[in-house]
Amino acid sequence: MEAMNLNLKVINEVKNNGRLLSDVAKDYGLSTKTVYQIVQESEQRSNRGSLPILKQTKQLSLRIKQLLSRR
């Protein structure tokens, strides 16, 4: 549970506060590579969650075009 809390803090520092990976790594006693991996994994998880929404949006857009072309 503590590692998860650390990950959230690291992600917040990089994404929300715009801090450099290397600075965050120094502050938390991690390697820059580890900070990079934490942030990358976070991005991948958030992208996976948005894929169904993107797919639905594309399908709706195509359906709207079909309906408009019937006019």
Side-chain angles (χ1 to χ4, degrees):
M1 191 67 150
E2 181 133 350
M4 189 171 171
N5 191 27
L6 175 66
N7 287 0
L8 291 175
K9 287 180 182 180
V10 166
I11 292 163
N12 182 57
E13 291 289 340
V14 173
K15 287 183 160 185
N16 298 330
N17 298 335
R19 297 195 54 216
L20 295 174
L21 298 177
S22 57
D23 291 342
V24 174
K26 287 177 191 171
D27 288 351
Y28 288 93
L30 302 169
S31 70
T32 303
K33 181 179 179 179
T34 299
V35 172
Y36 174 80
Q37 289 172 333
I38 291 169
V39 174
Q40 276 299 108
E41 287 171 10
S42 167
E43 285 289 321
Q44 289 172 352
R45 280 192 303 275
S46 68
N47 287 342
R48 276 194 299 253
S50 66
L51 285 178
I53 294 170
L54 294 174
K55 186 176 180 181
Q56 288 177 6
T57 303
K58 186 175 182 180
Q59 289 173 341
L60 287 172
S61 176
L62 290 172
R63 182 68 179 136
I64 290 169
K65 287 178 184 177
Q66 289 172 345
L67 291 171
L68 290 174
S69 68
R70 291 183 182 173
R71 287 180 150 190

